[in-house]
Amino acid sequence: MTENTQTPSSPNSELPTQYAPAEVEGKLYERWVERGYFEADEKSEKPPYAIVIPPPNVTGSLHLGHAFEHTLIDALTRRKRMQGYETLWQPGMDHAGIATQNVVERELAKEGKSRHDLGREAFVERVWQWKGESGGQISGQMRRLGDGVDWSRERFTMDEGLSEAVQTIFKKLYDDELIYRAERIINWCPRCLTAISDIEVEYQDDDGELVSIRYGEGDASIVVATTRAETMLGDTAVAVHPDDERYKHMVGTEIELPLTGRRIPVVADEHVDPEFGTGAVKVTPAHDPNDFEIGQRHGLANLAVMDEHAVITAHGPFQGLDRLEARSAIVAALRADGRIVAEKRPYSHSVGHCSRCKTTIEPRLSMQWWVKVGPLAKAAGDAVRDGKVKIHPQEMEKRYFDWVDNLHDWCISRQLWWGHRIPVWYGPNGEVVCVGPDEQPPAGEGWTQDTDVLDTWFSSGLWPFSTLGWPRQTESLAKFYPNSVLVTGYDILFFWVARMMMFGIYAMDGTPPFHTIALHGMVRDQFGKKMSKSFGNAVNPLDWMDEYGSDAVRFTLARGANPGVDVPIGEDWVQASRNFANKIWNATRFALMNGATIEGPLPTPEEMSATDRWILSRLNKTVAEVDAFYEDYQFSKLSDSLYHFAWDEVFSWYVELSKTTFFAGGEQAGVSGRVLGEVLDVMLRLLHPVVPFVTETLWTTLTGRESLVIAEWPKDSGFRDEAAEAEVATVQAVVTEVRRFRKEQGLQDGQKVPARLDLTGTALAAHEAAMRQLLRLQPEGEEFHATATLPVAGATVALDLSGTIDVAAERKRLTKDLGAAEKEKQQAEAKLGNEAFIAKAPDNVVDKIKGRLAKAEADIARIQAQLDGLPAA
């Protein structure tokens, strides 16, 4: 698409007096979508720039974390589109296996039914029905935020194309012996009734109990300590360290396991820490991952004593009890049998919980499907080490390496019905057949498909290439893979990023899925606390959008975004951003009413005033600065740069300094109007990626052109005028000092004061009218009497404050200030005159004292001049 450069007959049409986001945002967004601005063309010869959306769960709704991340991605893609790239921001959603199944099961429970009442096929149909009716509300909320995604390419991890990709890579991994089935200890959720991966377990300190239990009798006894007494029913050994002299005589013998009558061996294993507790540990291979490894080394039996609901299945009086009920009953029975040596309550220790439902997870021996991650993880690590993929900020690389270099095999099977069903069939005679997408599953009596589904992260790990059509060699895949950058939170570096790296490199012939991984932090409240409904500090960003507008929310989030660092945010900051949007609106409206235009060529430097040359010099420096910050993903710094340029330099200084020119009219007003139009044009382009709605409205009004979305990104023209910048800096110094003095005198902002300006020897003469306008300074008149004189920046401003100040009180105040300045000077001179001090003090300390002396001397001169300017008492 090319920029529409047609200018209508009246580009500077009148803007409403106030900006009303609610009346603008929705209509603008729909216009952008209808005109296809966000659609990517794989046939384009433009260079590609592609980003995938971290797919939100189909069960989700927009929260501040989404709004934050989407703002950053949208800013990047809008800028690249303006720079002439064929830009694809790929949208879509994740089927979210456990979360979605839980939602639908809760709906069924309201009807008094379970999924088993429906059966698998009908239940899955019910989930699809729910997805069509209630899922994906986040799409509409993304539109509210202004996400420039290509909706024509929206994908879902369970759609036909992505399902083909999942089946293809499963088959490929299986054939390459990188997927296997084995019985191992997994994290089991008794509530969700499925295995979950290590990274889906949340650890927190819980209060429990630590009991010490005596196994065996007399000299042939060992004391073990445990927080999970219920698992002792499944013990198949006691382990000690091989070098522990206390137990060497018992290694190879058997002792009686209390309450069961079974005898179990004492084994020596280096895993045991002889310094911890009694130096002996109970071994329950079916209910603990470390114990499982010990069991494998010593050929121990795996005795499961709990079912999938964490209910005791071992024969005896505890059968049928929940694990927590069994714990208390077993401790009581051991106590009655004289087996409890010590008890500690409460005992705080780290306990794993299901990240979905917060239930305490249960380590459980189970037959599951696994990915052999060793070679995949090595390739993912090497891609960063070799520089093929950059992690930003670089200090996050260590966290990435710590993870991929120490990955355990990944349990990918889940005992759910909603998800990608594992494409493996079992035959009546023990046959196992993995079926690819172009193959027919085996038929006949006795053949059944595996009942498990794949971990959600398995399909989302394919996202950068499955969404582009893989395994088919599509034009989109050729154009947009690898992605340019992945923007995501450091919190899913392990969940998602590592999975995409492993699968992308494996499936795409060694090519990583993106060139750069740009990591951001988490959104927190204004006090730095994690946002949570339970804390009462969670914020619905839609509420803030309703109140302040989407631009205000976006600008607040972008302005807080330092790479890899958490982002505090409070409502008062959103209010401040709303004020900024209003400032842009009001100042542009003023400019349009006073001749700002983009028509015609830019005046030559010789035609411009110093103020004009100054703002153009600052404009080009800002373009260069913003570009550099974008390339370094420094969203906070680029937002600050734009904020201060727009508010402090364009609106507070350039517009104000130019008012007298505009009011006077004539040729110079035309020159400044063209300069102001140029500045607004470029400034609105620079601001657009972060605050798209208000800038679009103002820019199209200013220029009469079609849309900022397809406008050209500004380039630094190279124009610099250091002399003009120095000249205006002098004007700013004079104005700032006089304003300070006026405030000290208690003068009202609009109160006019007679003044004489002596600008001899300075370049300020051309600015006198503007300075008088800014400072509310009247001509001196015949009755002028200088009651205060301010020497600043080589100029002298004499003010007649007769009748406006109490001369005696002012003299008293200035005399007090003079005394303080003279004392400061004396102290600095004393230190600098002390040879012993100078010999020992660091250079920076000496320089600091010299600075204090210089400031004190300047203050003395300034205050003395003010005193001299006061009339006699």
Side-chain angles (χ1 to χ4, degrees), residues 557-770:
L557 292 166
R559 203 174 179 192
N562 289 300
V565 179
D566 289 345
V567 183
I569 184 172
E571 187 169 2
D572 54 338
W573 302 337
V574 185
Q575 291 174 348
S577 295
R578 185 268 316 273
N579 294 344
F580 179 52
N582 288 342
K583 184 72 172 179
I584 299 170
W585 181 272
N586 293 332
T588 304
R589 183 170 176 272
F590 168 85
L592 289 170
M593 291 190 298
N594 287 275
T597 180
I598 64 162
E599 294 184 15
L602 198 63
T604 65
E606 292 74 22
E607 295 174 301
M608 299 180 203
S609 68
T611 307
D612 295 333
R613 297 194 304 276
W614 161 72
I615 198 62
L616 288 177
S617 183
R618 289 296 308 131
L619 175 68
N620 280 284
K621 286 183 177 179
T622 302
V623 171
E625 188 173 71
V626 168
D627 275 334
F629 287 143
Y630 261 116
E631 295 305 314
D632 199 34
Y633 304 98
Q634 297 279 359
F635 295 97
S636 177
K637 290 182 179 179
L638 73 88
S639 299
D640 263 347
S641 178
L642 288 169
Y643 176 89
H644 290 297
F645 175 72
W647 194 304
D648 297 345
E649 297 186 291
V650 178
F651 303 145
S652 295
W653 284 108
Y654 181 72
V655 170
E656 294 300 321
L657 287 171
S658 300
K659 279 182 178 179
T660 53
T661 301
F662 290 135
F663 295 160
E667 185 176 337
Q668 193 57 48
V671 170
S672 292
R674 180 65 187 88
V675 170
L676 180 54
E678 182 76 10
V679 170
L680 291 176
D681 175 16
V682 174
M683 184 191 75
L684 292 171
R685 292 174 193 246
L686 291 174
L687 281 164
H688 176 73
V690 180
V691 283
F693 295 108
V694 67
T695 52
E696 173 85 338
T697 306
L698 295 173
W699 187 83
T700 52
T701 303
L702 170 70
T703 67
R705 295 176 182 170
E706 183 179 340
S707 176
L708 259 178
V709 180
I710 54 171
E712 186 177 343
W713 181 253
K715 294 183 176 66
D716 175 8
S717 71
F719 179 80
R720 300 288 190 275
D721 194 323
E722 302 299 337
E725 289 196 41
E727 184 173 322
V728 173
T730 304
V731 174
Q732 291 172 325
V734 173
V735 171
T736 301
E737 177 60 23
V738 176
R739 280 176 171 168
R740 184 193 65 78
F741 179 77
R742 286 179 58 107
K743 187 175 182 179
E744 287 178 350
Q745 304 308 310
L747 298 177
Q748 298 299 315
D749 289 343
Q751 188 172 352
K752 295 183 178 180
V753 177
R756 177 190 300 137
L757 275 63
D758 182 0
L759 308 178
T760 306
T762 72
L764 302 180
H767 303 280
E768 180 171 349

Side-chain angles (χ1 to χ4, degrees), residues 148-424:
V149 300
D150 185 347
W151 290 110
S152 70
R153 295 172 178 261
E154 186 175 11
R155 304 304 299 268
F156 179 55
T157 50
M158 287 281 287
D159 69 27
E160 184 177 347
L162 270 65
S163 295
E164 179 185 0
V166 167
Q167 197 171 352
T168 298
I169 201 164
F170 187 99
K171 171 71 171 174
K172 180 175 171 59
L173 288 163
Y174 183 86
D175 289 347
D176 289 344
E177 298 183 350
L178 293 173
I179 280 184
Y180 63 93
R181 193 170 184 240
E183 189 176 44
R184 292 189 178 181
I185 293 288
I186 47 90
N187 303 301
W188 181 264
C189 176
R191 160 63 184 79
C192 298
L193 297 180
T194 182
I196 61 175
S197 65
D198 291 343
I199 51 179
E200 292 172 299
V201 178
E202 295 178 347
Y203 288 91
Q204 65 184 48
D205 288 340
D206 287 355
D207 284 339
E209 60 181 355
L210 180 68
V211 293
S212 297
I213 309 167
R214 178 171 51 82
Y215 287 18
E217 302 292 344
D219 291 340
S221 66
I222 294 179
V223 175
V224 299
T226 181
T227 58
R228 305 180 68 227
E230 69 278 10
T231 63
M232 67 160 291
L233 300 176
D235 287 359
T236 54
V238 170
V240 297
H241 193 274
D243 299 332
D244 195 331
E245 294 294 336
R246 294 171 295 178
Y247 302 116
K248 275 195 172 180
H249 67 288
M250 296 190 66
V251 173
T253 68
E254 290 186 341
I255 58 175
E256 183 175 330
L257 178 66
L259 305 182
T260 67
R262 285 193 291 114
R263 296 188 68 79
I264 58 176
V266 178
V267 299
D269 195 278
E270 292 189 352
H271 170 76
V272 180
D273 181 1
E275 303 299 322
F276 182 77
T278 63
V281 297
K282 58 192 287 298
V283 182
T284 321
H287 293 281
D288 182 275
N290 294 320
D291 292 3
F292 177 79
E293 297 299 330
I294 293 175
Q296 292 292 294
R297 288 192 288 271
H298 297 278
L300 302 176
N302 299 319
L303 184 60
V305 296
M306 277 183 251
D307 67 11
E308 61 186 8
H309 298 281
V311 171
I312 300 298
T313 58
H315 293 294
F318 311 109
Q319 186 175 6
L321 294 179
D322 171 80
R323 56 183 167 171
L324 298 181
E325 296 172 332
R327 183 178 301 170
S328 298
I330 288 171
V331 170
L334 289 168
R335 190 184 299 112
D337 201 27
R339 295 285 176 177
I340 300 296
V341 175
E343 298 180 64
K344 184 176 182 181
R345 295 189 188 87
Y347 178 73
S348 181
H349 62 124
S350 182
V351 177
H353 297 262
C354 173
S355 62
R356 300 292 182 186
C357 68
K358 312 308 176 187
T359 302
T360 300
I361 63 103
E362 187 65 43
R364 184 170 187 246
L365 186 65
S366 180
M367 183 68 74
Q368 301 284 346
W369 286 94
W370 304 81
V371 171
K372 184 179 180 181
V373 300
L376 303 175
K378 182 181 184 304
D382 289 346
V384 175
R385 288 189 173 94
D386 297 344
K388 293 180 181 177
V389 178
K390 305 288 186 185
I391 292 181
H392 187 86
Q394 191 174 2
E395 54 266 28
M396 286 286 181
E397 282 186 1
K398 183 180 184 301
R399 296 181 65 170
Y400 176 78
F401 292 136
D402 286 346
W403 181 256
V404 297
D405 292 348
N406 298 285
L407 270 178
H408 298 116
D409 284 0
W410 173 18
C411 177
I412 55 171
S413 45
R414 298 291 180 267
Q415 289 64 56
L416 303 171
W417 287 355
W418 172 245
H420 294 283
R421 195 164 175 181
I422 289 175
V424 171

Side-chain angles (χ1 to χ4, degrees), residues 391-643:
I391 292 181
H392 187 86
Q394 191 174 2
E395 54 266 28
M396 286 286 181
E397 282 186 1
K398 183 180 184 301
R399 296 181 65 170
Y400 176 78
F401 292 136
D402 286 346
W403 181 256
V404 297
D405 292 348
N406 298 285
L407 270 178
H408 298 116
D409 284 0
W410 173 18
C411 177
I412 55 171
S413 45
R414 298 291 180 267
Q415 289 64 56
L416 303 171
W417 287 355
W418 172 245
H420 294 283
R421 195 164 175 181
I422 289 175
V424 171
W425 271 256
Y426 305 108
N429 300 311
E431 302 96 331
V432 179
V433 176
C434 180
V435 177
D438 298 324
E439 301 171 345
Q440 291 298 318
E445 187 176 349
W447 283 94
T448 58
Q449 186 178 358
D450 196 299
T451 58
D452 289 350
V453 300
L454 287 163
D455 178 11
T456 294
W457 297 103
F458 190 94
S459 52
S460 59
L462 314 181
W463 193 248
F465 51 95
S466 63
T467 52
L468 297 173
W470 188 90
R472 304 180 189 280
Q473 298 307 305
T474 64
E475 290 181 302
S476 291
L477 189 65
K479 179 74 173 180
F480 296 113
Y481 188 93
N483 290 180
S484 305
V485 62
L486 172 73
V487 179
T488 192
Y490 63 71
D491 57 315
I492 58 172
L493 181 62
F494 317 129
F495 283 88
W496 189 44
V497 179
R499 310 288 193 224
M500 288 190 291
M501 286 286 284
M502 290 191 295
F503 281 166
I505 294 169
Y506 173 74
M508 298 300 293
D509 299 321
T511 303
F514 15 73
H515 298 299
T516 301
I517 301 169
L519 298 172
H520 58 71
M522 310 296 292
V523 178
R524 298 183 177 272
D525 71 12
Q526 62 195 42
F527 305 108
K529 190 175 182 180
K530 180 180 178 181
M531 284 191 174
S532 166
K533 290 181 180 178
S534 60
F535 295 154
N537 63 349
V539 173
N540 182 347
L542 296 173
D543 293 340
W544 280 354
M545 288 184 219
D546 290 341
E547 181 72 18
Y548 306 110
S550 297
D551 283 332
V553 174
R554 291 171 61 113
F555 192 74
T556 304
L557 292 166
R559 203 174 179 192
N562 289 300
V565 179
D566 289 345
V567 183
I569 184 172
E571 187 169 2
D572 54 338
W573 302 337
V574 185
Q575 291 174 348
S577 295
R578 185 268 316 273
N579 294 344
F580 179 52
N582 288 342
K583 184 72 172 179
I584 299 170
W585 181 272
N586 293 332
T588 304
R589 183 170 176 272
F590 168 85
L592 289 170
M593 291 190 298
N594 287 275
T597 180
I598 64 162
E599 294 184 15
L602 198 63
T604 65
E606 292 74 22
E607 295 174 301
M608 299 180 203
S609 68
T611 307
D612 295 333
R613 297 194 304 276
W614 161 72
I615 198 62
L616 288 177
S617 183
R618 289 296 308 131
L619 175 68
N620 280 284
K621 286 183 177 179
T622 302
V623 171
E625 188 173 71
V626 168
D627 275 334
F629 287 143
Y630 261 116
E631 295 305 314
D632 199 34
Y633 304 98
Q634 297 279 359
F635 295 97
S636 177
K637 290 182 179 179
L638 73 88
S639 299
D640 263 347
S641 178
L642 288 169
Y643 176 89

